[in-house]
Amino acid sequence: MFKNVMVYRIGEGFSPSLTDVQAALEPVQFVECGASQDKSIGWVPPRGEAHGPLVESVAGQWILKLMIESKAVPGIVVRRKVDERIAEIEAATGRKPGKKEKRELMDDVLLSLLPQAFARQSTVLVWMDLENRRLVLNAGSQGKADEVMSALMNVMGGLSVSLIQTVTSPQAAMTQWLLAPTPDEWPSDLTVERETVLKSSGEDAASVRFTRHHLANDDVRKHVMEGKLPTQLALSWDGRVAFVLTDTLQLKKVQYLDGVMDESGTDKKEDRFDADVALSTGLLGPLIDSLIEALGGEMELGAAAADPVPSTTRTVLSSTVNTGAGAADEEDPPF
């Protein structure tokens, strides 16, 4: 249900009822793009039933769904049509259109082509956990998340949110976990898996990606000690959920491990939505708690951001570079 996770903190003072949220969303239900419209955004029933509620409550967790429809006309087609119009004007009048007229021609051509363009639809699930003052989006990019947050803010008075910030940055923590000599140095319920992306901050911004690769080895440590820091790292939580953590505290490629989905306890289509919501929120809530704890806890609003690379890690990197002693000189640990 949630393949990507972006977590926001809901500000104090926001405590609407389910009826309040339903009433706020009804005026902005999704309507398909008109013939000359390039984008339409609105709310749809998360259960997928026509004319169903726009907010569902399952075990105290509220689920909403935003639909985004867009039409795109290939730029090369627009330019070709504009060039044809310009050629017709030159042939008829003997003059070349100016910049302003060209822009107007481009707008006219785009409007004329939009009715022929195919519409693409995408949805974003929104999970509101008012008890823990958390809002979670199934969004894979910051741009998509911004669209959802803008749509929410436009209809829900009193709602304020902020991205969760942790005392230890995700990149600093991922660096420590990759440099750890044994798995005992990892958080108790998190396991480093077999995928990471390392990137340097120099002018060339060199990067290296490891996929299906044993990461607790000297080759990976050598890249880190040379200054390539992790921007993504595959992890698993409690042997139940696998995901990729990014340096911006996003969770990508979220998947439940073997046997977990059987815990939903139902195969009936009419009960599947409730079971999936209960299972997903029941797993992701504790996972988010554990991850925040592993990153030193949540930073208070207004507090100064921590050094993205902690002093202990920076000392290890510096001493390794200065002495020429690389991780390649160490024995590969037995795991």
Side-chain angles (χ1 to χ4, degrees):
M1 177 166 274
F2 284 83
K3 299 300 183 185
N4 300 285
V5 170
M6 296 184 68
V7 188
Y8 292 79
R9 173 65 63 208
I10 297 176
E12 299 284 358
F14 181 73
S15 56
S17 67
L18 202 66
T19 304
D20 293 336
V21 175
Q22 173 71 26
L25 299 181
E26 283 178 352
V28 283
Q29 295 185 59
F30 174 74
V31 178
E32 292 184 354
C33 288
S36 59
Q37 187 179 2
D38 64 346
K39 194 168 193 176
S40 179
I41 298 176
W43 301 95
V44 296
R47 196 179 289 271
E49 299 174 350
H51 312 297
L54 297 175
V55 54
E56 293 279 356
S57 177
V58 179
Q61 308 301 317
W62 296 359
I63 303 294
L64 300 73
K65 183 185 284 188
L66 186 73
M67 175 79 78
I68 302 171
E69 182 178 83
S70 59
K71 291 181 179 180
V73 179
I76 189 171
V77 175
V78 175
R79 288 192 295 272
R80 185 174 67 243
K81 292 291 186 182
V82 170
D83 289 342
E84 290 173 0
R85 295 272 190 94
I86 290 174
E88 291 172 0
I89 292 172
E90 290 180 349
T93 65
R95 66 175 182 82
K96 266 189 163 184
K99 290 183 179 180
K100 181 180 178 182
E101 190 173 357
K102 286 181 180 179
R103 285 195 297 270
E104 291 172 349
L105 285 173
M106 187 168 291
D107 291 341
D108 290 342
V109 167
L110 184 59
L111 284 174
S112 68
L113 292 175
L114 275 175
Q116 306 169 43
F118 289 105
R120 299 181 61 182
Q121 293 183 343
S122 62
T123 59
V124 181
L125 276 180
V126 180
W127 164 25
M128 298 182 73
D129 180 358
L130 293 184
E131 181 179 352
N132 293 299
R133 292 182 29 249
R134 228 165 20 207
L135 188 145
V136 178
L137 305 182
N138 182 26
S141 69
Q142 189 61 55
K144 186 66 67 69
D146 290 344
E147 284 190 298
V148 178
M149 297 313 304
S150 177
L152 279 172
M153 297 291 189
N154 286 339
V155 296
M156 294 192 184
L159 174 63
S160 64
V161 298
S162 59
L163 279 168
I164 285 182
Q165 301 291 326
T166 52
V167 173
T168 301
S169 74
Q171 187 169 73
M174 292 189 292
T175 301
Q176 289 178 311
W177 300 338
L178 287 175
L179 290 175
T182 72
D184 294 337
E185 302 297 321
W186 299 340
S188 58
D189 47 7
L190 290 175
T191 301
V192 174
E193 297 296 342
R194 297 165 61 86
E195 178 181 339
T196 190
V197 176
L198 306 174
K199 182 177 289 188
S200 66
S201 58
E203 293 182 1
D204 58 351
S207 65
V208 58
R209 177 186 294 271
F210 292 89
T211 305
R212 295 187 296 277
H213 194 89
H214 175 59
L215 299 182
N217 63 51
D218 293 340
D219 188 26
V220 173
R221 294 192 192 95
K222 183 174 184 294
H223 279 293
V224 175
M225 289 178 174
E226 288 174 347
K228 295 186 186 74
L229 300 181
T231 59
Q232 297 183 28
L233 179 63
L235 300 167
S236 61
W237 171 77
D238 198 30
R240 308 175 81 189
V241 184
F243 61 97
V244 173
L245 176 65
T246 76
D247 55 352
T248 58
L249 198 53
Q250 293 182 36
L251 278 59
K252 296 180 177 291
K253 301 181 182 179
V254 176
Q255 60 180 123
Y256 305 116
L257 301 179
D258 290 345
V260 171
M261 291 306 294
D262 297 337
E263 299 175 20
S264 62
T266 180
D267 292 323
K268 297 180 181 178
K269 184 177 179 182
E270 59 268 25
D271 297 332
R272 190 78 241 177
F273 177 84
D274 289 349
D276 286 349
V277 170
L279 181 64
S280 296
T281 59
L283 287 172
L284 292 178
L287 184 161
I288 292 168
D289 290 335
S290 293
L291 184 58
I292 291 174
E293 182 180 353
L295 297 176
E298 191 171 348
M299 187 185 299
E300 294 184 9
L301 289 176
D307 188 342
V309 179
S311 58
T312 53
T313 303
R314 195 178 296 280
T315 300
V316 171
L317 298 179
S318 177
S319 62
T320 303
V321 172
N322 291 338
T323 62
D329 297 329
E330 303 171 2
E331 291 184 0
D332 200 29
F335 58 88

